[in-house]
Structures are given as structure tokens and as C-alpha cells.
Amino acid sequence: MPVTPAVAESNRAQTDRLRALAARLTPAMLAVRLPNGWTVAVALAHVAFWDRQRLCLIRRWGAGDWCNGGYDGELFNEVLLPFLELLPAERVASLAVETAEQVDAALLDAPDDLLRAALARPDKPNLDRGAHRGYHLDQIEQTLAEAYQAE
């Protein structure tokens, strides 16, 4: 079982956390800058992008398209940053939640042999999307707490 109960729980818990955060975000909160220079909106768009990337890979693999290349996450982030900043801030939280829900479901529905083959690749994907979400949610929540504690 490539998607272990621990990974499924991590994904579910962080999607729940993301959903709760998205429900309380205001436009001002979405514009708060994180320590890395990103806004909360950009961080959420980043999470949505990487979840979407995994969702698209799972769908391609399921259709028999194993793609040839890997990816360089830091390069993708650098290239995407100006595009992510153009997204309407008020839309990115719901996009992040929607994409998280879709990739969680796709991971749980994907055949084990498909995911085992994906994990055997040299560019194996991180199926624990919750760990990635959690990293960014920690940063967002801490920064928002600091920004709004001063008020």
C-alpha cells in the first residue's frame, strides 16, 4: 500500500487545516508577506500548484503516460513566482482547498501498482501532500499570528 494510513491521515489532516484557514482569510490577510517574501496568497497558490502537479501526474500515469523528465522544484518555484502573484488573492484559498481535496481523493483511488511504479522512478513524487501543505500552513499561520497580534 504506497499511500500508507499515515500518509492518508497526513493528507486529510492538512486538507482540513487548509480548509479552516481558507474559510477565515480576509483580503488583508492574503496580502501579508511571509518571511520568504511571498504573500499568503502566493503561498496558497504554490500549494495548489504542487498538489495540482501531483494530481496531473497521477492521472497521466493512470492513462499509461509515464512522462520522461523529472522536475526541479526550486526552479519551478522561481519561474512560477511572478505568475502566482498575478492570481486573484481572493481566489487562491479556495483553489488550494479544491486541489488538495482532488489530489487526496486521486491518491486514495489510484491502484497500488500504479503508485508503486511511480515511487520506483528516480524522480519519485512525494505522495505525502500533507507534509508539504503543513510546512506552508505553519509558515502562514505563524506570520498571520504575528501580523495580527500587533493590532
Side-chain angles (χ1 to χ4, degrees):
M1 173 185 287
V3 177
T4 64
V7 167
E9 175 57 20
S10 171
N11 289 346
R12 186 207 57 76
Q14 296 305 322
T15 297
D16 288 349
R17 187 176 165 200
L18 176 61
R19 191 179 297 107
L21 174 67
R24 73 178 207 283
L25 287 172
T26 65
M29 293 168 119
L30 288 163
V32 169
R33 291 263 169 211
L34 302 173
N36 65 356
W38 295 4
T39 63
V40 168
V42 166
L44 291 172
H46 164 89
V47 168
F49 168 81
W50 283 105
D51 275 348
R52 184 80 184 167
Q53 190 262 4
R54 294 310 188 283
L55 178 63
C56 291
L57 281 176
I58 292 164
R59 288 178 175 164
R60 282 183 179 196
W61 298 333
D65 178 1
W66 284 94
C67 317
N68 286 330
Y71 52 85
D72 176 339
E74 291 304 314
L75 177 62
F76 273 18
N77 289 336
E78 181 181 342
V79 170
L80 277 171
L81 183 59
F83 298 98
L84 295 176
E85 289 180 332
L86 293 173
L87 293 173
E90 65 278 1
R91 176 69 179 104
V92 296
S94 61
L95 174 65
V97 170
E98 176 183 307
T99 306
E101 292 170 345
Q102 289 175 346
V103 75
D104 289 356
L107 282 167
L108 292 175
D109 291 341
D112 285 354
D113 60 334
L114 177 76
L115 296 179
R116 278 192 197 94
L119 291 171
R121 295 170 54 92
D123 60 342
K124 69 180 178 182
N126 175 9
L127 301 182
D128 186 355
R129 304 310 307 142
H132 182 246
R133 290 177 207 137
Y135 170 81
H136 291 290
L137 290 169
D138 287 347
Q139 189 178 49
I140 289 167
E141 289 172 342
Q142 179 180 348
T143 302
L144 287 175
E146 291 169 2
Y148 286 90
Q149 183 177 16
E151 291 183 354

